[in-house]
Amino acid sequence: MGSEDLVCACCSGLVIEGRCPTCRASREYLRRNSTPPSPQLLLAILVIVMVLAALAVRHAT
Ligand SMILES: [Zn+2]
């Protein structure tokens, strides 16, 4: 599983496509950490994306 396959929890698009602010933030995070992603790192990114998505939903209401 590569970083290109990450799906955004906010817009359900590929994170690498950068369709929403959450995608772009995650993509920037991945770029800065250019080392091959470990399962732990992917899990951390997933948690970050989910938290950002929850915040976005809360902000929208
Ligand atoms: Zn997104």
Side-chain angles (χ1 to χ4, degrees):
M1 179 179 176
S3 58
E4 294 85 8
D5 300 323
L6 281 177
V7 176
C8 177
C10 190
C11 67
S12 299
L14 289 175
V15 167
I16 200 162
E17 291 179 2
R19 291 184 192 176
C20 74
T22 304
C23 289
R24 287 191 283 274
S26 301
R27 194 175 54 180
E28 281 304 305
Y29 182 84
L30 289 169
R31 262 189 205 157
R32 276 183 226 140
N33 296 272
S34 56
T35 52
S38 65
Q40 287 84 5
L41 177 62
L42 290 173
L43 187 64
I45 292 169
L46 186 65
V47 169
I48 291 168
V49 169
M50 287 177 75
V51 168
L52 287 172
L55 287 173
V57 168
R58 219 185 241 189
H59 191 68
T61 51

